[in-house]
Amino acid sequence: QKEVEQNSGPLSVPEGAIASLNCTYSDRGSQSFFWYRQYSGKSPELIMFIYSNGDKEDGRFTAQLNKASQYVSLLIRDSQPSDSATYLCAVDNAGNMLTFGGGTRLMVKP
Amino acid sequence: EAQVTQNPRYLITVTGKKLTVTCSQNMNHEYMSWYRQDPGLGLRQIYYSMNVEVTDKGDVPEGYKVSRKEKRNFPLILESPSPNQTSLYFCASSFVSGSLSEQYFGPGTRLTVT
């Protein structure tokens, strides 16, 4: 059973701080990694994707991938109250299925 | 506007009464998928389709059927719904190019089976 693990949280950070969200996965053959944001009662929306080891930056968001440690993270700089949501890590193992983690609930306090 | 649509958005039904949840996308995506989302269990894949007439089981296919007769549509069928299928259901679609690209999600269908 391929697994993707996330701390459910809630992770609480003050406005303007860096939020660090972590995800580990079990399948070493995993190829693609995605971070989705989901507001309560809404559908998931893609924030970042990363395929190669290292960092990938997009605005206030940075995804980090370490395949040797089977670890992917998402950093949110200058966190805003509007970033308060559940963040889902997803892993594509073989080009045909996404396995999602349970999500981490982030709360950004003004 | 590029989008994935699902109908109905809300449905309350009784045990054993067959139902279909429709999903349609207008982006010419090859890949379509159904997920269910339950508190504490996250998003779990039910079925997926790599293209027309090609479907495969996800992690939790029991009690569900799908079909892919046209590229844009991917209905989810519950032949005999049971209370444990009460959940929030999402349809998603994406291009496929070696690996899955960004998946676009529909707005969700909240199903209650009594």
Side-chain angles (χ1 to χ4, degrees):
Chain A
Q1 179 77 12
K2 296 165 184 163
E3 295 182 347
V4 178
E5 300 286 342
Q6 294 180 255
N7 189 318
S8 61
L11 172 65
S12 183
V13 300
E15 184 175 356
I18 296 175
S20 177
L21 305 160
N22 304 315
C23 171
T24 59
Y25 59 95
S26 63
D27 185 1
R28 284 194 171 274
S30 300
Q31 302 170 1
S32 311
F33 306 85
F34 303 84
W35 282 100
Y36 284 83
R37 178 176 63 199
Q38 186 177 26
Y39 292 112
S40 181
K42 301 295 185 182
S43 55
E45 56 178 331
L46 186 71
I47 299 295
M48 296 279 295
F49 62 88
I50 185 167
Y51 302 141
S52 305
N53 274 331
D55 295 0
K56 180 180 178 183
E57 188 174 316
D58 184 1
R60 295 187 296 114
F61 300 95
T62 298
Q64 299 175 317
L65 175 61
N66 184 325
K67 288 187 177 180
S69 299
Q70 296 175 245
Y71 176 95
V72 58
S73 64
L74 179 70
L75 300 177
I76 306 174
R77 288 181 299 281
D78 189 24
S79 296
Q80 301 297 309
S82 59
D83 294 326
S84 297
T86 296
Y87 289 80
L88 305 170
C89 173
V91 176
D92 172 17
N93 305 110
N96 58 11
M97 275 186 61
L98 277 189
T99 301
F100 282 82
T104 298
R105 188 163 141 242
L106 173 66
M107 296 172 58
V108 181
K109 300 196 170 180
Chain B
E1 179 191 355
Q3 60 182 351
V4 178
T5 57
Q6 293 179 231
N7 283 291
R9 295 288 314 280
Y10 302 91
L11 179 60
I12 300 174
T13 189
V14 296
T15 299
K17 186 177 181 182
K18 181 179 178 179
L19 66 91
T20 299
V21 184
T22 65
C23 173
S24 184
Q25 50 93 5
N26 62 1
M27 295 167 279
N28 203 34
H29 286 162
E30 302 94 352
Y31 183 94
M32 296 187 74
S33 180
W34 276 103
Y35 298 88
R36 61 178 288 173
Q37 188 172 36
D38 302 289
L41 296 176
L43 274 165
R44 293 179 293 167
Q45 194 165 35
I46 302 170
Y47 270 94
Y48 64 94
S49 169
M50 298 293 284
N51 215 323
V52 175
E53 301 291 1
V54 181
T55 63
D56 211 342
K57 296 177 181 178
D59 292 322
V60 287
E62 295 78 21
Y64 304 94
K65 286 176 58 177
V66 293
S67 67
R68 188 93 181 270
K69 293 183 170 55
E70 305 166 282
K71 197 171 188 179
R72 64 182 293 127
N73 296 324
F74 190 45
L76 179 70
I77 303 157
L78 284 72
E79 295 269 5
S80 182
S82 62
N84 64 12
Q85 293 178 297
T86 292
S87 188
L88 178 59
Y89 291 87
F90 289 104
C91 179
S93 71
S94 71
F95 289 115
V96 179
S97 176
S99 64
L100 292 177
S101 64
E102 174 182 4
Q103 288 207 11
Y104 291 82
F105 282 81
T109 295
R110 189 167 291 280
L111 172 66
T112 301
V113 183
T114 61

